[in-house]
Amino acid sequence: MKKESVCLISLGCPKNQVDSEVMLGLLVKRGYTISPNPAQADIILINTCSFITEATQEALETVLEAVDLKRVGSCRRVVVTGCLAQRYGAELAGELPEVDLFLGTDQFPRIVDFLESSLDQDRRVYTGRTSFLYDHTVPRILSGPSYHAYIKIAEGCSRSCSFCIVPSLRGSFRSRPIASIHEEARLLAAQGVKEIDLVAQDTTAYGEDLRDGTTLAGLLESLCSLEGLAWIRLLYAFPDRIDSALLSRILESDKICKYIDLPLQHVSDGILRAMGRPGSRRSLEALIARIREEIPGVCLRTTLMVGFPGETEADFSELADWVEKTRFERLGVFQFSPEEGTRAATMKGQVSEPVKRRRFENLMELQQRISLEHNRSLVGKTVPVLVEGRLGDSGILRGRMATQAPEIDGQVLITRGTASPGEILEVRITKALPYDLEGEIPSGNDPGGRLA
């Protein structure tokens, strides 16, 4: 019997994308066909995020769109997986009888079994203790470009940040063995992947739970031995576990991008304590100075939160002054979201939405100026760029430097020269924009001349 077609819609972060790609692999292995168009699929499968209110709203809107398609007969089943199902599945099952299944964060590996079993309409929600950890033996189909992949090196989180719901959704932190990650990376490289980005809720905690000497530096050493991989990037690196062994490994390898993503959240000592974050302004400044000293030319990215309960104008001014002084190459800003089930949601001193928005806009305006100044320093220099394709319908190529992570950072627009997606080549930077750059492939490496 011919299997049904499935359209999988993946929402949220790269860690969710990995889960979605595992589900794609499991479905294809069992004979299902994958449709890119939800209006033409028999089953609409939505892998959701529910980290903050905005993500929850986006997930709910996407589910309602799928339900509408089911009502008009375009699909036969709607399945919701991931964090939204884990967090609100029981509640939503009563409100959305059209959704056939809600599978939590630990149930998605059984997606095929659920689809092929006879289910009781009264039991449509399956959430349980989150303990699943995928490995290299699990089939996976990349949903992004063929030259890039994320590898999830661990699952869950054992921290207790007062604003975060992740530990209750994903369980405690659990690391994959180095051998499994190495084999997955080897298989990806054999498929043509040139860049891998290592992700977890807390990448610098990698290996601590195994208690066998496994470290992030050791993992990087193992991955650097693989042929075919050109770039290895480290994301979500908590500051309190960055040590000399890790910094030395990043410095010594040409394959490891000189790029560290540090989710710092704030700099005010009082706000950091209320957030449940490790460290202080003094320790964070010392770490940043140390990283920049030990890895010359390193690109530092951070994420900051404004409007946390109790954040005063003085706290925000301290944060803005610190951003001005520290001059991060990359920086993202979030407005605090009071998430149900977190300590921060019920804290005193909740900041009004207009104040949050003003602080967000002020900080982003400041960082835009800093980013432009960083980019201007690159004009006239020649840098390696990973070509990703064309910019819309224009003839302009787009790509990224090793100091630009996919999806979250800027890009390089190549206004002269030709290349194929996945190629890494030298580009001379000719113009700086606030977040993007423009450049040209030097004539000696330009077989095609100026692009149309």
Side-chain angles (χ1 to χ4, degrees), residues 9-13 16-17 20 46-49 55 58-60 62-63:
I9 301 171
S10 187
L11 305 174
C13 67
N16 238 30
Q17 181 177 328
S20 296
I46 307 165
N47 192 24
T48 60
C49 176
E58 179 189 22
L60 287 172
T62 305
V63 172

Side-chain angles (χ1 to χ4, degrees), residues 2-168:
K2 182 180 178 181
K3 294 288 182 72
E4 296 169 295
S5 62
V6 180
C7 175
L8 194 155
I9 301 171
S10 187
L11 305 174
C13 67
K15 298 178 287 293
N16 238 30
Q17 181 177 328
V18 174
D19 292 347
S20 296
E21 291 171 350
V22 168
M23 282 192 280
L24 287 174
L26 293 168
L27 289 163
V28 170
K29 183 178 180 180
R30 292 283 285 270
Y32 289 84
T33 58
I34 304 303
S35 171
N37 188 346
Q40 298 176 353
D42 298 311
I43 300 169
I44 300 177
L45 174 58
I46 307 165
N47 192 24
T48 60
C49 176
S50 188
F51 175 56
I52 58 176
T53 299
E54 288 183 359
T56 299
Q57 291 173 343
E58 179 189 22
L60 287 172
E61 291 169 1
T62 305
V63 172
L64 291 174
E65 291 171 0
V67 166
D68 286 341
L69 287 175
K70 182 180 179 182
R71 284 172 178 159
V72 299
S74 298
C75 82
R76 289 194 285 272
R77 287 192 280 180
V78 174
V79 179
V80 177
T81 66
C83 292
L84 182 73
Q86 184 74 23
R87 189 175 182 185
Y88 296 120
E91 178 182 338
L92 291 174
E95 298 178 1
L96 294 172
E98 300 89 347
V99 175
D100 298 271
L101 273 173
F102 292 92
L103 304 180
T105 54
D106 203 38
Q107 304 299 319
F108 77 87
R110 300 170 58 201
I111 181 65
V112 175
D113 293 336
F114 280 113
L115 290 179
E116 296 183 353
S117 62
S118 298
L119 297 173
D120 184 345
Q121 182 67 10
D122 294 332
R123 179 77 192 279
R124 295 181 295 124
V125 181
Y126 294 83
T127 59
R129 182 173 176 271
T130 53
S131 59
F132 173 73
L133 185 64
Y134 91 104
D135 61 23
H136 64 282
T137 65
V138 177
R140 178 182 173 190
I141 294 178
L142 297 183
S143 58
S146 61
Y147 50 81
H148 170 264
Y150 295 101
I151 292 183
K152 195 185 322 190
I153 64 174
E155 181 60 273
C157 185
S158 295
R159 293 185 183 267
S160 55
C161 300
S162 63
F163 56 84
C164 186
I165 198 73
V166 167
S168 65

Side-chain angles (χ1 to χ4, degrees), residues 286-303:
L287 174 63
I288 291 167
R290 178 183 172 196
I291 293 173
R292 284 176 165 165
E293 179 181 356
E294 295 192 23
I295 309 177
V298 69
C299 176
L300 292 181
R301 176 182 175 82
T302 194
T303 48

Side-chain angles (χ1 to χ4, degrees), residues 89-348:
E91 178 182 338
L92 291 174
E95 298 178 1
L96 294 172
E98 300 89 347
V99 175
D100 298 271
L101 273 173
F102 292 92
L103 304 180
T105 54
D106 203 38
Q107 304 299 319
F108 77 87
R110 300 170 58 201
I111 181 65
V112 175
D113 293 336
F114 280 113
L115 290 179
E116 296 183 353
S117 62
S118 298
L119 297 173
D120 184 345
Q121 182 67 10
D122 294 332
R123 179 77 192 279
R124 295 181 295 124
V125 181
Y126 294 83
T127 59
R129 182 173 176 271
T130 53
S131 59
F132 173 73
L133 185 64
Y134 91 104
D135 61 23
H136 64 282
T137 65
V138 177
R140 178 182 173 190
I141 294 178
L142 297 183
S143 58
S146 61
Y147 50 81
H148 170 264
Y150 295 101
I151 292 183
K152 195 185 322 190
I153 64 174
E155 181 60 273
C157 185
S158 295
R159 293 185 183 267
S160 55
C161 300
S162 63
F163 56 84
C164 186
I165 198 73
V166 167
S168 65
L169 299 178
R170 293 281 179 174
S172 59
F173 189 86
R174 47 205 188 275
S175 304
R176 295 173 57 190
I178 286 180
S180 175
I181 300 170
H182 179 100
E183 180 61 12
E184 182 181 13
R186 186 191 69 79
L187 293 171
L188 289 169
Q191 296 174 27
V193 170
K194 293 186 177 180
E195 175 189 355
I196 60 170
D197 289 1
L198 305 181
V199 297
Q201 298 295 341
D202 180 359
T203 51
T204 38
Y206 173 76
E208 288 190 2
D209 57 306
L210 299 178
R211 294 184 174 85
D212 61 359
T214 296
T215 64
L216 183 56
L219 171 62
L220 290 173
E221 180 179 9
S222 175
L223 295 178
C224 286
S225 67
L226 290 170
E227 295 186 7
L229 289 182
W231 291 355
I232 302 170
R233 188 184 312 278
L234 184 63
L235 299 175
Y236 310 110
F238 275 67
D240 57 325
R241 290 189 172 100
I242 292 179
D243 56 22
S244 296
L246 177 61
L247 296 180
S248 295
R249 179 57 53 194
I250 295 172
L251 175 65
E252 292 166 1
S253 175
D254 291 335
K255 290 188 176 184
I256 304 175
C257 298
K258 304 306 181 280
Y259 177 107
I260 302 178
D261 173 35
L262 297 165
L264 301 181
Q265 306 303 344
H266 217 281
V267 71
S268 163
D269 287 350
I271 298 298
L272 288 171
R273 283 193 298 271
M275 287 179 167
R277 303 288 291 186
S280 62
R281 173 171 182 165
R282 182 176 180 180
S283 66
L284 294 179
E285 287 179 340
L287 174 63
I288 291 167
R290 178 183 172 196
I291 293 173
R292 284 176 165 165
E293 179 181 356
E294 295 192 23
I295 309 177
V298 69
C299 176
L300 292 181
R301 176 182 175 82
T302 194
T303 48
L304 302 174
M305 182 183 295
V306 296
F308 188 83
E311 184 189 54
T312 64
E313 287 298 331
D315 292 324
F316 176 70
S317 294
E318 179 182 5
L319 180 62
D321 291 344
W322 185 69
V323 169
E324 176 78 64
K325 173 187 174 183
T326 308
R327 308 185 69 74
F328 289 97
E329 287 78 9
R330 312 277 184 260
L331 184 146
V333 183
F334 291 92
Q335 299 176 62
F336 169 73
S337 175
E339 294 303 310
E340 180 183 3
T342 64
R343 299 194 310 278
T346 58
M347 285 181 177
K348 296 180 180 179

